[in-house]
Amino acid sequence: MSLTSTVADDAQVVTVNAQRIDAAMAIQFKEDMRSETEAGPQRVILDLSHVDFIDSSGLGAIVAAMKQLGKERKLDLAGLTPMVDKVFRLTRMDTVFNLYPTLQDALDPEQVEN
Amino acid sequence: MVETFACSFKATELEARRGIVSVVERLKGMGIPNTRVDEVQIALAEAVNNVVEHAYAETATGDVLIRCNLHPDRLWVEIRDAGVPFPESKLPEGKPAVVTANTPLEDLPEGGFGWFLIRELASDIQYQRNLDNNQLSLCFEIQLTS
């Protein structure tokens, strides 16, 4: 399992325990996200602080994970390392997700965007 | 002076990961700044993934050969494979997926970023189809730190 999760302050925090979300990992990640988030709070925060590389397959898998959640729930991203942040900005996917520098920022009520 | 190294691996997702990581380690050891190596890694990974997913999609899985030539001011990364040529022997355009905060959930793209990223990050791209292999070369401007 590439993921672990906890529930904190009305949000489910899913932590990625892998350094790379790449082509070799993307399908497993998508399946693991499906089982991790099958039921739970409306808001899911994906903690990416251990991930130091993502490629377009990994990016696609994160988009797929958000679609799996459906319209009533949302996926926020936290702890993006510089390399991961760069891929989101280059592809403009930073406009689709709320990005938080750290998990703590994502859980801070004063910083949460709707 | 030009510094050169090469490596090759079987075109599977796991071998590709190992190959990409080994190239990245070598580049960092050559004095290329880490943030620049990150950008090279993004483009290189997309190019290698394309080989794994497309060039060898319908033929026996062969090898990927990567050769790096580091010049004083630029890095050329050459990727070769013995798979099928690009359709019409032309590189994909890599049109950026147009997304905004208002794009409906179901319309968000789950792929198609690969060639966009390569074109965004490489300053020059050359492709030639040889008799039995594809030869793709990506150029990156480099300022060495040491």
Side-chain angles (χ1 to χ4, degrees), chain A residues 20 22-25 30 53 55-57 59-60 63-64 66-67 70-71 83 86-87 90-93 95-96, chain B residues 13-14 17 20-21 38-39 41-42 45-46 49 99-101 105-106 108-110 113-114 116-117 120-121:
Chain A
R20 301 172 77 87
D22 58 11
M25 164 74 174
K30 197 172 139 180
F53 179 79
D55 66 10
S56 62
S57 312
L59 182 64
V63 173
M66 180 168 71
K67 290 183 182 177
K71 285 187 176 129
M83 146 77 233
K86 178 164 287 168
V87 170
L90 281 171
T91 56
R92 307 287 298 141
M93 295 307 283
T95 59
V96 171
Chain B
E13 287 171 346
L14 280 172
R17 176 194 283 174
I20 292 161
V21 168
D38 282 347
E39 292 170 346
Q41 181 175 194
I42 295 168
E46 298 304 336
N49 287 346
V99 294
T100 67
L105 190 63
E106 63 270 21
L108 291 175
E110 292 176 40
F113 308 106
F116 171 70
L117 287 168
E120 197 74 6
L121 293 166

mmCIF file of all heavy atoms in Angstrom, chain A residues 20 22-25 30 53 55-57 59-60 63-64 66-67 70-71 83 86-87 90-93 95-96, chain B residues 13-14 17 20-21 38-39 41-42 45-46 49 99-101 105-106 108-110 113-114 116-117 120-121:
data_model
loop_
_atom_site.group_PDB
_atom_site.id
_atom_site.type_symbol
_atom_site.label_atom_id
_atom_site.label_comp_id
_atom_site.label_asym_id
_atom_site.label_seq_id
_atom_site.Cartn_x
_atom_site.Cartn_y
_atom_site.Cartn_z
ATOM 1 N N ARG A 20 8.197 8.616 -5.547
ATOM 2 C CA ARG A 20 7.859 8.912 -6.941
ATOM 3 C C ARG A 20 6.432 8.480 -7.245
ATOM 4 O O ARG A 20 6.039 7.364 -6.922
ATOM 5 C CB ARG A 20 8.811 8.177 -7.900
ATOM 6 C CG ARG A 20 10.263 8.548 -7.704
ATOM 7 C CD ARG A 20 11.168 7.654 -8.550
ATOM 8 N NE ARG A 20 11.171 8.022 -9.959
ATOM 9 C CZ ARG A 20 11.972 8.941 -10.487
ATOM 10 N NH1 ARG A 20 12.818 9.591 -9.739
ATOM 11 N NH2 ARG A 20 11.911 9.211 -11.778
ATOM 12 N N ASP A 22 5.130 7.920 -10.517
ATOM 13 C CA ASP A 22 5.518 7.899 -11.929
ATOM 14 C C ASP A 22 4.719 6.836 -12.667
ATOM 15 O O ASP A 22 3.774 6.256 -12.116
ATOM 16 C CB ASP A 22 7.041 7.687 -12.059
ATOM 17 C CG ASP A 22 7.506 6.391 -11.401
ATOM 18 O OD1 ASP A 22 6.661 5.555 -11.031
ATOM 19 O OD2 ASP A 22 8.737 6.214 -11.262
ATOM 20 N N ALA A 23 5.106 6.586 -13.917
ATOM 21 C CA ALA A 23 4.345 5.645 -14.745
ATOM 22 C C ALA A 23 4.254 4.264 -14.097
ATOM 23 O O ALA A 23 3.235 3.587 -14.204
ATOM 24 C CB ALA A 23 4.989 5.550 -16.131
ATOM 25 N N ALA A 24 5.336 3.866 -13.384
ATOM 26 C CA ALA A 24 5.348 2.543 -12.767
ATOM 27 C C ALA A 24 4.422 2.472 -11.556
ATOM 28 O O ALA A 24 4.090 1.402 -11.067
ATOM 29 C CB ALA A 24 6.782 2.173 -12.365
ATOM 30 N N MET A 25 3.996 3.610 -11.070
ATOM 31 C CA MET A 25 3.274 3.694 -9.806
ATOM 32 C C MET A 25 1.834 4.166 -10.000
ATOM 33 O O MET A 25 0.972 3.968 -9.131
ATOM 34 C CB MET A 25 4.070 4.705 -8.948
ATOM 35 C CG MET A 25 3.398 5.275 -7.748
ATOM 36 S SD MET A 25 3.330 4.045 -6.442
ATOM 37 C CE MET A 25 2.652 5.078 -5.147
ATOM 38 N N LYS A 30 -3.788 5.147 -8.135
ATOM 39 C CA LYS A 30 -5.199 5.423 -8.408
ATOM 40 C C LYS A 30 -6.104 4.420 -7.678
ATOM 41 O O LYS A 30 -7.101 4.801 -7.058
ATOM 42 C CB LYS A 30 -5.407 5.331 -9.924
ATOM 43 C CG LYS A 30 -6.669 5.959 -10.423
ATOM 44 C CD LYS A 30 -6.664 5.972 -11.948
ATOM 45 C CE LYS A 30 -8.017 5.625 -12.490
ATOM 46 N NZ LYS A 30 -8.049 5.625 -13.957
ATOM 47 N N PHE A 53 9.263 13.335 -6.939
ATOM 48 C CA PHE A 53 9.169 13.338 -8.404
ATOM 49 C C PHE A 53 7.772 12.898 -8.845
ATOM 50 O O PHE A 53 7.231 11.921 -8.333
ATOM 51 C CB PHE A 53 10.204 12.399 -9.045
ATOM 52 C CG PHE A 53 10.113 12.370 -10.539
ATOM 53 C CD1 PHE A 53 10.662 13.387 -11.295
ATOM 54 C CD2 PHE A 53 9.432 11.353 -11.197
ATOM 55 C CE1 PHE A 53 10.547 13.385 -12.691
ATOM 56 C CE2 PHE A 53 9.312 11.348 -12.584
ATOM 57 C CZ PHE A 53 9.877 12.364 -13.314
ATOM 58 N N ASP A 55 5.480 12.479 -12.661
ATOM 59 C CA ASP A 55 5.456 12.676 -14.118
ATOM 60 C C ASP A 55 4.008 12.830 -14.575
ATOM 61 O O ASP A 55 3.093 12.886 -13.748
ATOM 62 C CB ASP A 55 6.202 11.547 -14.853
ATOM 63 C CG ASP A 55 5.515 10.197 -14.700
ATOM 64 O OD1 ASP A 55 4.377 10.145 -14.199
ATOM 65 O OD2 ASP A 55 6.131 9.187 -15.097
ATOM 66 N N SER A 56 3.799 12.870 -15.894
ATOM 67 C CA SER A 56 2.443 13.147 -16.367
ATOM 68 C C SER A 56 1.483 12.002 -16.026
ATOM 69 O O SER A 56 0.294 12.238 -15.818
ATOM 70 C CB SER A 56 2.443 13.432 -17.870
ATOM 71 O OG SER A 56 2.893 12.316 -18.587
ATOM 72 N N SER A 57 2.003 10.773 -15.917
ATOM 73 C CA SER A 57 1.131 9.664 -15.504
ATOM 74 C C SER A 57 0.660 9.864 -14.073
ATOM 75 O O SER A 57 -0.499 9.600 -13.743
ATOM 76 C CB SER A 57 1.870 8.322 -15.577
ATOM 77 O OG SER A 57 2.530 8.169 -16.777
ATOM 78 N N LEU A 59 0.487 12.744 -12.473
ATOM 79 C CA LEU A 59 -0.419 13.888 -12.474
ATOM 80 C C LEU A 59 -1.820 13.434 -12.903
ATOM 81 O O LEU A 59 -2.837 13.789 -12.276
ATOM 82 C CB LEU A 59 0.127 14.945 -13.441
ATOM 83 C CG LEU A 59 -0.627 16.258 -13.565
ATOM 84 C CD1 LEU A 59 -0.604 17.019 -12.254
ATOM 85 C CD2 LEU A 59 0.001 17.112 -14.673
ATOM 86 N N GLY A 60 -1.874 12.620 -13.958
ATOM 87 C CA GLY A 60 -3.146 12.093 -14.434
ATOM 88 C C GLY A 60 -3.833 11.256 -13.364
ATOM 89 O O GLY A 60 -5.069 11.300 -13.223
ATOM 90 N N VAL A 63 -5.490 13.540 -10.887
ATOM 91 C CA VAL A 63 -6.737 14.070 -11.471
ATOM 92 C C VAL A 63 -7.828 12.992 -11.419
ATOM 93 O O VAL A 63 -8.978 13.263 -11.039
ATOM 94 C CB VAL A 63 -6.512 14.544 -12.922
ATOM 95 C CG1 VAL A 63 -7.832 14.931 -13.578
ATOM 96 C CG2 VAL A 63 -5.541 15.717 -12.962
ATOM 97 N N ALA A 64 -7.444 11.754 -11.756
ATOM 98 C CA ALA A 64 -8.411 10.647 -11.724
ATOM 99 C C ALA A 64 -8.930 10.436 -10.305
ATOM 100 O O ALA A 64 -10.121 10.169 -10.100
ATOM 101 C CB ALA A 64 -7.758 9.372 -12.253
ATOM 102 N N MET A 66 -9.290 12.661 -8.029
ATOM 103 C CA MET A 66 -10.263 13.716 -7.726
ATOM 104 C C MET A 66 -11.615 13.408 -8.380
ATOM 105 O O MET A 66 -12.662 13.614 -7.770
ATOM 106 C CB MET A 66 -9.756 15.073 -8.191
ATOM 107 C CG MET A 66 -10.757 16.187 -7.895
ATOM 108 S SD MET A 66 -10.064 17.814 -8.101
ATOM 109 C CE MET A 66 -9.900 17.865 -9.844
ATOM 110 N N LYS A 67 -11.578 12.896 -9.606
ATOM 111 C CA LYS A 67 -12.827 12.547 -10.285
ATOM 112 C C LYS A 67 -13.560 11.433 -9.540
ATOM 113 O O LYS A 67 -14.787 11.445 -9.460
ATOM 114 C CB LYS A 67 -12.548 12.113 -11.724
ATOM 115 C CG LYS A 67 -12.109 13.245 -12.634
ATOM 116 C CD LYS A 67 -11.929 12.740 -14.050
ATOM 117 C CE LYS A 67 -11.448 13.839 -14.975
ATOM 118 N NZ LYS A 67 -11.196 13.356 -16.324
ATOM 119 N N GLY A 70 -15.953 12.493 -6.866
ATOM 120 C CA GLY A 70 -17.242 13.034 -7.283
ATOM 121 C C GLY A 70 -17.374 14.505 -6.949
ATOM 122 O O GLY A 70 -16.488 15.112 -6.333
ATOM 123 N N LYS A 71 -18.500 15.084 -7.377
ATOM 124 C CA LYS A 71 -18.675 16.539 -7.280
ATOM 125 C C LYS A 71 -18.889 17.030 -5.854
ATOM 126 O O LYS A 71 -18.651 18.195 -5.543
ATOM 127 C CB LYS A 71 -19.856 16.972 -8.151
ATOM 128 C CG LYS A 71 -19.499 16.948 -9.627
ATOM 129 C CD LYS A 71 -20.603 17.528 -10.495
ATOM 130 C CE LYS A 71 -20.160 17.577 -11.946
ATOM 131 N NZ LYS A 71 -21.066 16.989 -12.886
ATOM 132 N N MET A 83 9.869 20.294 -7.084
ATOM 133 C CA MET A 83 9.734 19.597 -8.369
ATOM 134 C C MET A 83 8.263 19.282 -8.688
ATOM 135 O O MET A 83 7.807 19.473 -9.821
ATOM 136 C CB MET A 83 10.640 18.369 -8.264
ATOM 137 C CG MET A 83 10.255 17.126 -8.923
ATOM 138 S SD MET A 83 10.529 17.103 -10.655
ATOM 139 C CE MET A 83 8.887 16.640 -11.090
ATOM 140 N N LYS A 86 6.438 22.425 -9.572
ATOM 141 C CA LYS A 86 6.760 22.868 -10.944
ATOM 142 C C LYS A 86 5.875 22.172 -11.981
ATOM 143 O O LYS A 86 5.370 22.813 -12.913
ATOM 144 C CB LYS A 86 8.241 22.589 -11.230
ATOM 145 C CG LYS A 86 8.663 22.970 -12.623
ATOM 146 C CD LYS A 86 10.166 23.051 -12.737
ATOM 147 C CE LYS A 86 10.709 24.283 -12.041
ATOM 148 N NZ LYS A 86 12.133 24.296 -11.877
ATOM 149 N N VAL A 87 5.664 20.871 -11.825
ATOM 150 C CA VAL A 87 4.849 20.129 -12.791
ATOM 151 C C VAL A 87 3.390 20.623 -12.761
ATOM 152 O O VAL A 87 2.764 20.797 -13.807
ATOM 153 C CB VAL A 87 4.930 18.603 -12.534
ATOM 154 C CG1 VAL A 87 3.903 17.842 -13.371
ATOM 155 C CG2 VAL A 87 6.337 18.092 -12.846
ATOM 156 N N LEU A 90 3.467 24.178 -14.507
ATOM 157 C CA LEU A 90 3.702 24.110 -15.959
ATOM 158 C C LEU A 90 2.459 23.643 -16.703
ATOM 159 O O LEU A 90 2.153 24.131 -17.785
ATOM 160 C CB LEU A 90 4.856 23.139 -16.266
ATOM 161 C CG LEU A 90 6.282 23.639 -16.066
ATOM 162 C CD1 LEU A 90 7.268 22.476 -16.192
ATOM 163 C CD2 LEU A 90 6.632 24.723 -17.074
ATOM 164 N N THR A 91 1.736 22.696 -16.133
ATOM 165 C CA THR A 91 0.565 22.128 -16.815
ATOM 166 C C THR A 91 -0.708 22.893 -16.492
ATOM 167 O O THR A 91 -1.785 22.523 -16.956
ATOM 168 C CB THR A 91 0.361 20.651 -16.420
ATOM 169 O OG1 THR A 91 0.260 20.574 -14.992
ATOM 170 C CG2 THR A 91 1.511 19.783 -16.892
ATOM 171 N N ARG A 92 -0.586 23.948 -15.692
ATOM 172 C CA ARG A 92 -1.719 24.781 -15.273
ATOM 173 C C ARG A 92 -2.688 24.029 -14.362
ATOM 174 O O ARG A 92 -3.788 24.507 -14.078
ATOM 175 C CB ARG A 92 -2.494 25.346 -16.481
ATOM 176 C CG ARG A 92 -1.648 26.074 -17.502
ATOM 177 C CD ARG A 92 -1.163 27.427 -17.038
ATOM 178 N NE ARG A 92 -2.251 28.352 -16.756
ATOM 179 C CZ ARG A 92 -2.242 29.206 -15.734
ATOM 180 N NH1 ARG A 92 -1.231 29.222 -14.893
ATOM 181 N NH2 ARG A 92 -3.240 30.030 -15.564
ATOM 182 N N MET A 93 -2.314 22.853 -13.905
ATOM 183 C CA MET A 93 -3.196 22.114 -13.013
ATOM 184 C C MET A 93 -3.224 22.761 -11.618
ATOM 185 O O MET A 93 -4.030 22.390 -10.780
ATOM 186 C CB MET A 93 -2.768 20.644 -12.905
ATOM 187 C CG MET A 93 -2.894 19.868 -14.208
ATOM 188 S SD MET A 93 -4.522 19.968 -14.979
ATOM 189 C CE MET A 93 -5.420 18.832 -13.950
ATOM 190 N N THR A 95 -4.328 25.536 -11.194
ATOM 191 C CA THR A 95 -5.576 26.304 -11.163
ATOM 192 C C THR A 95 -6.766 25.411 -10.788
ATOM 193 O O THR A 95 -7.827 25.900 -10.444
ATOM 194 C CB THR A 95 -5.877 26.941 -12.546
ATOM 195 O OG1 THR A 95 -5.984 25.889 -13.517
ATOM 196 C CG2 THR A 95 -4.781 27.896 -12.968
ATOM 197 N N VAL A 96 -6.569 24.111 -10.875
ATOM 198 C CA VAL A 96 -7.664 23.158 -10.643
ATOM 199 C C VAL A 96 -7.735 22.741 -9.178
ATOM 200 O O VAL A 96 -8.811 22.526 -8.630
ATOM 201 C CB VAL A 96 -7.460 21.919 -11.554
ATOM 202 C CG1 VAL A 96 -8.435 20.818 -11.196
ATOM 203 C CG2 VAL A 96 -7.603 22.308 -13.025
ATOM 204 N N GLU B 13 8.325 -0.162 -17.347
ATOM 205 C CA GLU B 13 8.148 0.984 -16.448
ATOM 206 C C GLU B 13 9.150 0.972 -15.303
ATOM 207 O O GLU B 13 9.710 2.003 -14.941
ATOM 208 C CB GLU B 13 6.717 0.994 -15.906
ATOM 209 C CG GLU B 13 5.712 1.422 -16.978
ATOM 210 C CD GLU B 13 4.273 1.243 -16.547
ATOM 211 O OE1 GLU B 13 4.027 0.546 -15.544
ATOM 212 O OE2 GLU B 13 3.390 1.807 -17.229
ATOM 213 N N LEU B 14 9.394 -0.211 -14.725
ATOM 214 C CA LEU B 14 10.305 -0.264 -13.582
ATOM 215 C C LEU B 14 11.754 -0.057 -13.986
ATOM 216 O O LEU B 14 12.506 0.645 -13.304
ATOM 217 C CB LEU B 14 10.134 -1.583 -12.826
ATOM 218 C CG LEU B 14 8.944 -1.612 -11.873
ATOM 219 C CD1 LEU B 14 8.742 -3.024 -11.309
ATOM 220 C CD2 LEU B 14 9.100 -0.609 -10.729
ATOM 221 N N ARG B 17 12.274 3.570 -14.666
ATOM 222 C CA ARG B 17 12.467 4.359 -13.442
ATOM 223 C C ARG B 17 13.917 4.286 -12.993
ATOM 224 O O ARG B 17 14.550 5.300 -12.706
ATOM 225 C CB ARG B 17 11.549 3.842 -12.341
ATOM 226 C CG ARG B 17 11.762 4.555 -11.016
ATOM 227 C CD ARG B 17 11.110 3.816 -9.880
ATOM 228 N NE ARG B 17 9.661 4.017 -9.857
ATOM 229 C CZ ARG B 17 8.837 3.375 -9.026
ATOM 230 N NH1 ARG B 17 9.328 2.478 -8.178
ATOM 231 N NH2 ARG B 17 7.552 3.615 -9.035
ATOM 232 N N ILE B 20 16.202 6.265 -15.406
ATOM 233 C CA ILE B 20 16.062 7.715 -15.262
ATOM 234 C C ILE B 20 16.768 8.189 -13.994
ATOM 235 O O ILE B 20 17.519 9.170 -14.007
ATOM 236 C CB ILE B 20 14.566 8.118 -15.245
ATOM 237 C CG1 ILE B 20 13.938 7.860 -16.622
ATOM 238 C CG2 ILE B 20 14.395 9.576 -14.828
ATOM 239 C CD1 ILE B 20 12.418 7.769 -16.611
ATOM 240 N N VAL B 21 16.564 7.453 -12.894
ATOM 241 C CA VAL B 21 17.200 7.841 -11.625
ATOM 242 C C VAL B 21 18.718 7.803 -11.760
ATOM 243 O O VAL B 21 19.420 8.693 -11.254
ATOM 244 C CB VAL B 21 16.715 6.929 -10.469
ATOM 245 C CG1 VAL B 21 17.568 7.114 -9.227
ATOM 246 C CG2 VAL B 21 15.247 7.210 -10.149
ATOM 247 N N ASP B 38 16.235 18.680 -12.160
ATOM 248 C CA ASP B 38 14.804 18.367 -11.998
ATOM 249 C C ASP B 38 14.061 18.561 -13.314
ATOM 250 O O ASP B 38 13.238 17.734 -13.711
ATOM 251 C CB ASP B 38 14.147 19.301 -10.960
ATOM 252 C CG ASP B 38 14.466 18.894 -9.533
ATOM 253 O OD1 ASP B 38 14.974 17.775 -9.330
ATOM 254 O OD2 ASP B 38 14.191 19.702 -8.615
ATOM 255 N N GLU B 39 14.350 19.678 -13.987
ATOM 256 C CA GLU B 39 13.663 19.972 -15.250
ATOM 257 C C GLU B 39 14.054 18.979 -16.335
ATOM 258 O O GLU B 39 13.215 18.538 -17.118
ATOM 259 C CB GLU B 39 13.961 21.413 -15.678
ATOM 260 C CG GLU B 39 13.314 22.407 -14.735
ATOM 261 C CD GLU B 39 13.752 23.845 -14.958
ATOM 262 O OE1 GLU B 39 14.760 24.081 -15.664
ATOM 263 O OE2 GLU B 39 13.078 24.730 -14.415
ATOM 264 N N GLN B 41 14.956 15.986 -15.742
ATOM 265 C CA GLN B 41 14.318 14.725 -15.363
ATOM 266 C C GLN B 41 12.850 14.672 -15.818
ATOM 267 O O GLN B 41 12.377 13.632 -16.297
ATOM 268 C CB GLN B 41 14.380 14.498 -13.839
ATOM 269 C CG GLN B 41 13.727 13.181 -13.463
ATOM 270 C CD GLN B 41 13.826 12.779 -11.998
ATOM 271 O OE1 GLN B 41 13.554 11.638 -11.671
ATOM 272 N NE2 GLN B 41 14.196 13.690 -11.130
ATOM 273 N N ILE B 42 12.140 15.792 -15.691
ATOM 274 C CA ILE B 42 10.732 15.819 -16.112
ATOM 275 C C ILE B 42 10.634 15.494 -17.599
ATOM 276 O O ILE B 42 9.875 14.608 -18.012
ATOM 277 C CB ILE B 42 10.096 17.211 -15.828
ATOM 278 C CG1 ILE B 42 10.046 17.500 -14.326
ATOM 279 C CG2 ILE B 42 8.684 17.268 -16.420
ATOM 280 C CD1 ILE B 42 9.714 18.957 -13.984
ATOM 281 N N ALA B 45 11.875 11.852 -18.443
ATOM 282 C CA ALA B 45 10.912 10.826 -18.017
ATOM 283 C C ALA B 45 9.755 10.735 -19.009
ATOM 284 O O ALA B 45 9.310 9.637 -19.351
ATOM 285 C CB ALA B 45 10.394 11.135 -16.610
ATOM 286 N N GLU B 46 9.279 11.877 -19.497
ATOM 287 C CA GLU B 46 8.172 11.851 -20.462
ATOM 288 C C GLU B 46 8.602 11.179 -21.771
ATOM 289 O O GLU B 46 7.858 10.396 -22.351
ATOM 290 C CB GLU B 46 7.667 13.262 -20.752
ATOM 291 C CG GLU B 46 7.086 14.005 -19.548
ATOM 292 C CD GLU B 46 5.961 13.273 -18.838
ATOM 293 O OE1 GLU B 46 5.294 12.422 -19.467
ATOM 294 O OE2 GLU B 46 5.751 13.528 -17.643
ATOM 295 N N ASN B 49 8.930 7.446 -21.053
ATOM 296 C CA ASN B 49 7.592 6.847 -20.904
ATOM 297 C C ASN B 49 6.926 6.650 -22.262
ATOM 298 O O ASN B 49 6.244 5.649 -22.487
ATOM 299 C CB ASN B 49 6.677 7.735 -20.040
ATOM 300 C CG ASN B 49 7.050 7.700 -18.570
ATOM 301 O OD1 ASN B 49 7.807 6.839 -18.136
ATOM 302 N ND2 ASN B 49 6.513 8.636 -17.799
ATOM 303 N N VAL B 99 -6.946 24.219 -19.135
ATOM 304 C CA VAL B 99 -7.780 24.035 -17.949
ATOM 305 C C VAL B 99 -7.820 25.333 -17.148
ATOM 306 O O VAL B 99 -6.872 26.112 -17.144
ATOM 307 C CB VAL B 99 -7.269 22.897 -17.033
ATOM 308 C CG1 VAL B 99 -7.386 21.559 -17.716
ATOM 309 C CG2 VAL B 99 -5.847 23.148 -16.582
ATOM 310 N N THR B 100 -8.945 25.559 -16.511
ATOM 311 C CA THR B 100 -9.083 26.688 -15.606
ATOM 312 C C THR B 100 -9.788 26.179 -14.355
ATOM 313 O O THR B 100 -10.196 25.020 -14.297
ATOM 314 C CB THR B 100 -9.960 27.801 -16.210
ATOM 315 O OG1 THR B 100 -11.311 27.301 -16.319
ATOM 316 C CG2 THR B 100 -9.475 28.220 -17.583
ATOM 317 N N ALA B 101 -9.931 27.068 -13.387
ATOM 318 C CA ALA B 101 -10.628 26.701 -12.154
ATOM 319 C C ALA B 101 -12.077 26.320 -12.451
ATOM 320 O O ALA B 101 -12.719 25.636 -11.660
ATOM 321 C CB ALA B 101 -10.566 27.856 -11.168
ATOM 322 N N LEU B 105 -15.390 19.026 -13.737
ATOM 323 C CA LEU B 105 -14.624 17.889 -13.228
ATOM 324 C C LEU B 105 -14.401 16.821 -14.300
ATOM 325 O O LEU B 105 -13.285 16.354 -14.522
ATOM 326 C CB LEU B 105 -15.387 17.290 -12.032
ATOM 327 C CG LEU B 105 -14.676 16.236 -11.192
ATOM 328 C CD1 LEU B 105 -13.443 16.822 -10.523
ATOM 329 C CD2 LEU B 105 -15.618 15.668 -10.139
ATOM 330 N N GLU B 106 -15.499 16.454 -14.996
ATOM 331 C CA GLU B 106 -15.392 15.330 -15.938
ATOM 332 C C GLU B 106 -14.546 15.673 -17.161
ATOM 333 O O GLU B 106 -14.094 14.781 -17.876
ATOM 334 C CB GLU B 106 -16.791 14.842 -16.354
ATOM 335 C CG GLU B 106 -17.647 15.870 -17.103
ATOM 336 C CD GLU B 106 -18.505 16.721 -16.166
ATOM 337 O OE1 GLU B 106 -18.174 16.807 -14.962
ATOM 338 O OE2 GLU B 106 -19.507 17.294 -16.652
ATOM 339 N N LEU B 108 -11.659 17.388 -17.025
ATOM 340 C CA LEU B 108 -10.243 17.574 -16.701
ATOM 341 C C LEU B 108 -9.409 16.469 -17.351
ATOM 342 O O LEU B 108 -9.761 15.301 -17.296
ATOM 343 C CB LEU B 108 -10.045 17.561 -15.187
ATOM 344 C CG LEU B 108 -10.619 18.765 -14.450
ATOM 345 C CD1 LEU B 108 -10.467 18.572 -12.950
ATOM 346 C CD2 LEU B 108 -9.922 20.048 -14.882
ATOM 347 N N PRO B 109 -8.276 16.846 -17.968
ATOM 348 C CA PRO B 109 -7.458 15.845 -18.659
ATOM 349 C C PRO B 109 -6.692 14.955 -17.674
ATOM 350 O O PRO B 109 -6.197 15.439 -16.658
ATOM 351 C CB PRO B 109 -6.486 16.703 -19.482
ATOM 352 C CG PRO B 109 -6.404 17.995 -18.747
ATOM 353 C CD PRO B 109 -7.724 18.200 -18.063
ATOM 354 N N GLU B 110 -6.642 13.659 -17.987
ATOM 355 C CA GLU B 110 -5.857 12.727 -17.155
ATOM 356 C C GLU B 110 -4.580 12.326 -17.873
ATOM 357 O O GLU B 110 -3.864 11.430 -17.433
ATOM 358 C CB GLU B 110 -6.683 11.482 -16.827
ATOM 359 C CG GLU B 110 -7.840 11.781 -15.904
ATOM 360 C CD GLU B 110 -8.713 10.553 -15.645
ATOM 361 O OE1 GLU B 110 -8.158 9.456 -15.487
ATOM 362 O OE2 GLU B 110 -9.942 10.712 -15.613
ATOM 363 N N PHE B 113 -0.082 15.337 -21.224
ATOM 364 C CA PHE B 113 0.810 16.414 -20.782
ATOM 365 C C PHE B 113 2.246 16.187 -21.246
ATOM 366 O O PHE B 113 3.069 17.091 -21.177
ATOM 367 C CB PHE B 113 0.860 16.498 -19.250
ATOM 368 C CG PHE B 113 -0.477 16.567 -18.573
ATOM 369 C CD1 PHE B 113 -0.982 15.478 -17.893
ATOM 370 C CD2 PHE B 113 -1.216 17.736 -18.590
ATOM 371 C CE1 PHE B 113 -2.202 15.544 -17.242
ATOM 372 C CE2 PHE B 113 -2.439 17.804 -17.942
ATOM 373 C CZ PHE B 113 -2.934 16.700 -17.267
ATOM 374 N N GLY B 114 2.548 14.958 -21.651
ATOM 375 C CA GLY B 114 3.939 14.568 -21.885
ATOM 376 C C GLY B 114 4.681 15.449 -22.876
ATOM 377 O O GLY B 114 5.698 16.049 -22.543
ATOM 378 N N PHE B 116 3.753 18.253 -24.154
ATOM 379 C CA PHE B 116 3.703 19.650 -23.734
ATOM 380 C C PHE B 116 4.869 19.949 -22.788
ATOM 381 O O PHE B 116 5.584 20.950 -22.957
ATOM 382 C CB PHE B 116 2.370 19.957 -23.055
ATOM 383 C CG PHE B 116 2.332 21.311 -22.407
ATOM 384 C CD1 PHE B 116 2.324 22.452 -23.183
ATOM 385 C CD2 PHE B 116 2.342 21.431 -21.031
ATOM 386 C CE1 PHE B 116 2.315 23.706 -22.598
ATOM 387 C CE2 PHE B 116 2.334 22.683 -20.436
ATOM 388 C CZ PHE B 116 2.318 23.819 -21.218
ATOM 389 N N LEU B 117 5.086 19.078 -21.810
ATOM 390 C CA LEU B 117 6.178 19.286 -20.851
ATOM 391 C C LEU B 117 7.540 19.247 -21.548
ATOM 392 O O LEU B 117 8.410 20.081 -21.278
ATOM 393 C CB LEU B 117 6.113 18.233 -19.736
ATOM 394 C CG LEU B 117 4.978 18.423 -18.728
ATOM 395 C CD1 LEU B 117 4.834 17.180 -17.849
ATOM 396 C CD2 LEU B 117 5.217 19.655 -17.851
ATOM 397 N N GLU B 120 8.022 22.415 -23.441
ATOM 398 C CA GLU B 120 8.145 23.546 -22.530
ATOM 399 C C GLU B 120 9.549 23.625 -21.929
ATOM 400 O O GLU B 120 10.074 24.702 -21.689
ATOM 401 C CB GLU B 120 7.095 23.376 -21.415
ATOM 402 C CG GLU B 120 6.787 24.596 -20.610
ATOM 403 C CD GLU B 120 5.946 25.602 -21.379
ATOM 404 O OE1 GLU B 120 5.489 25.336 -22.523
ATOM 405 O OE2 GLU B 120 5.758 26.684 -20.833
ATOM 406 N N LEU B 121 10.163 22.483 -21.676
ATOM 407 C CA LEU B 121 11.404 22.438 -20.900
ATOM 408 C C LEU B 121 12.675 22.359 -21.753
ATOM 409 O O LEU B 121 13.719 22.840 -21.343
ATOM 410 C CB LEU B 121 11.359 21.256 -19.917
ATOM 411 C CG LEU B 121 10.309 21.404 -18.815
ATOM 412 C CD1 LEU B 121 10.089 20.060 -18.105
ATOM 413 C CD2 LEU B 121 10.717 22.471 -17.814
#
